[in-house]
Amino acid sequence: PNTNYGNAAVAQIKRDNGTNFTRKTYLGFDLSTLPAGSLTNASLSFEFVDSAAGTTGVATNWGFELFGLTDQALDGWSESTITWNNAPANNTSNTNLPAQVDLTKATSLATFNRTGKGLGPVTIANANLLNFLLADNNDLASFILVRTTNALSGQNYVHAIATSENTTAAGKPTLTIPVVPAPAPLALVAIGLLALGAAKRNRCKPS
């Protein structure tokens, strides 16, 4: 619980009630370089890869849930220091994990399912994600990815997604935010029109 996995090529995700084998993944994005403008849609994508840990039936259905960290005072976590015990909004209990995260500090953004190892890309794009980003005021966005299905008898597979350190996976965690440029201030537009009018009058002035 006090080990950091920030340099790992895969981020593990598992639910195993009553044991020390539950895994959660945290994703963080710096929004400070976004240009000024209107945010009208957004998508978060990541790629499930083979963790090579445990077993799962090829048709077994596994549920997952994505949360957004709403307590922005906790957004300052670092991938080089985060652990199970200090992760923001983490419910550290290993027994039944009813909420898995502290819902006074985080909100559910989406649920989805994967079969077997769930290999391949996942994209989340909905109103919950957009509203979560619109509410941001510190230029940092933190996400928590958990598995909602408990380990099954004979099926203890650890799911995983590729991290930014992964050199072989096709897709790294990516937050895509198209921004509509902000219109020029009306005062600047008016000054431009006045200058144009003056230029026209000067050209028509008799010699």
Side-chain angles (χ1 to χ4, degrees):
N2 291 308
T3 300
N4 170 260
Y5 299 93
N7 292 323
V10 299
Q12 297 184 343
I13 310 153
K14 183 182 182 182
R15 179 170 180 164
D16 200 343
N17 289 343
T19 75
N20 291 327
F21 300 111
T22 293
R23 306 282 186 261
K24 302 173 189 177
T25 285
Y26 281 71
L27 302 172
F29 294 89
D30 182 353
L31 310 181
S32 63
T33 58
L34 286 177
S38 301
L39 196 165
T40 58
N41 63 80
S43 64
L44 175 66
S45 60
F46 40 84
E47 181 183 357
F48 274 81
V49 295
D50 192 352
S51 71
T55 60
T56 176
V58 294
T60 301
N61 190 48
W62 301 94
F64 297 85
E65 189 163 8
L66 178 73
F67 295 87
L69 188 64
T70 52
D71 186 342
Q72 296 186 43
L74 303 177
D75 271 326
W77 61 273
S78 167
E79 74 166 352
S80 63
T81 59
I82 190 172
T83 68
W84 177 271
N85 280 343
N86 67 22
N90 184 27
N91 178 353
T92 58
S93 168
N94 285 322
T95 304
N96 297 325
L97 294 174
Q100 299 212 61
V101 301
D102 183 345
L103 293 178
T104 67
K105 300 176 181 178
T107 186
S108 178
L109 300 179
T111 59
F112 61 94
N113 294 81
R114 306 293 282 179
T115 56
K117 295 180 178 180
L119 305 182
V122 172
T123 297
I124 307 295
N126 60 23
N128 290 338
L129 174 61
L130 178 61
N131 290 333
F132 169 70
L133 293 171
L134 286 171
D136 177 81
N137 57 27
N138 69 352
D139 289 332
L140 295 171
S142 299
F143 300 94
I144 310 168
L145 183 58
V146 306
R147 195 175 78 188
T148 55
T149 304
N150 193 43
L152 305 172
S153 177
Q155 299 187 54
N156 61 345
Y157 186 70
V158 180
H159 287 87
I161 64 171
T163 67
S164 56
E165 288 83 6
N166 196 301
T167 59
T168 59
K172 310 294 193 298
T174 303
L175 182 62
T176 302
I177 306 178
V179 175
V180 178
L186 292 178
L188 293 179
V189 174
I191 291 172
L193 292 174
L194 288 173
L196 178 60
K200 285 185 176 179
R201 286 195 296 272
N202 287 338
R203 283 199 299 270
C204 296
K205 188 175 181 180
S207 56

